[in-house]
Amino acid sequence: MTSVGLLVPLIAKPSQTKAITDFLHTGYTLVPSEPLTREWFAVRYEDSNPPTYAIFDTFAAEEGRQAHLTGQIAKALMDNASSLLDVSPEIAQLDVLVSLVRPSKGSGEGTTAGVTKGLRVLFTAKPDKVDAVRDFLKSAIPLVEAEPETTYWYAVEFPGTNTFGVVDFFPDDTGRGAHVAGKVAAALFGSADELLTGAPDLVKLDVIAAKV
């Protein structure tokens, strides 16, 4: 079971977008050297200004997360941060409340684990609605399972912040569109006034590389 993870946004210098894409492809080749890293995704935020990328990865336990934070990928990122990034990366640690991982046939081929598009949705619960938001996310799995084009789906919580999120991935833009128009998204956005401090922040993602 996946229980913890990291979300690391990377704000690139405008002149370094190709270099950071190359760096993320190199990071993909290093993932096998970290056997406790369960799933690893490198993405680009669509239509972002300044250009923003991110790494999202998951682990079965804290031991794996700490091994990753002291491993080759993290070291390479810190060594290259000043030349590639506009600001130092902020490493957000998160708990994975529930996840759905169902690689499609042929997902082991190529370098993106069978997905090309994704979403990163962040939202903050009202102080008296934290438990309700957590329960809502945990109960959403049957709705996600009914979406055949939702390949990977993670509901996450950033401890101590009242902030939650959903990170999910799809084979193509059609699958992503079906999810946005589906029951999980409708339930979340429909409950925003009751449960959340504001509208969810949704960012579309292009998948650069992924290892599952």
Side-chain angles (χ1 to χ4, degrees):
M1 291 289 292
T2 296
S3 66
V4 297
L6 297 167
L7 178 62
V8 186
L10 306 169
I11 301 174
K13 293 179 178 179
S15 63
Q16 296 298 315
T17 56
K18 182 182 183 303
I20 196 167
T21 300
D22 292 343
F23 169 82
L24 292 170
H25 280 295
T26 300
Y28 166 86
T29 69
L30 298 175
V31 177
S33 69
E34 300 183 354
L36 298 182
T37 299
R38 291 182 62 90
E39 295 110 26
W40 185 92
F41 299 89
V43 301
R44 181 183 68 86
Y45 289 15
E46 293 184 16
D47 304 318
S48 57
N49 186 22
T52 302
Y53 300 75
I55 295 172
F56 173 75
D57 39 16
T58 68
F59 314 89
E62 185 62 34
E63 176 190 5
R65 180 159 63 185
Q66 291 305 315
H68 176 71
L69 288 170
T70 57
Q72 293 184 58
I73 298 174
K75 182 179 185 301
L77 176 60
M78 294 307 174
D79 287 347
N80 289 277
S82 62
S83 61
L84 296 178
L85 305 179
D86 251 354
V87 297
S88 296
E90 294 187 8
I91 300 174
Q93 300 196 19
L94 54 89
D95 294 336
V96 179
L97 299 175
V98 65
S99 62
L100 178 67
V101 176
R102 48 180 179 188
S104 59
K105 184 178 180 180
S107 62
E109 302 172 3
T111 60
T112 64
V115 291
T116 65
K117 299 294 182 179
L119 293 169
R120 186 236 64 186
V121 187
L122 299 181
F123 40 93
T124 301
K126 293 178 179 179
D128 61 336
K129 297 296 185 179
V130 170
D131 289 342
V133 171
R134 190 181 294 121
D135 291 344
F136 165 79
L137 291 170
K138 289 181 177 180
S139 68
I141 280 290
L143 298 178
V144 180
E145 289 176 336
E147 299 177 354
E149 295 300 304
T150 301
T151 307
Y152 309 109
W153 186 88
Y154 304 87
V156 305
E157 179 178 359
F158 298 86
T161 67
N162 291 356
T163 298
F164 295 82
V166 172
V167 182
D168 41 14
F169 299 96
F170 314 90
D172 51 34
D173 205 36
T174 300
R176 180 168 64 184
H179 176 72
V180 170
K183 292 182 178 180
V184 179
L188 175 61
F189 283 85
S191 301
D193 288 344
E194 176 191 355
L195 300 178
L196 308 179
T197 60
D201 175 33
L202 184 151
V203 174
K204 292 182 177 181
L205 310 174
D206 285 332
V207 178
I208 294 173
K211 198 82 168 178
V212 174

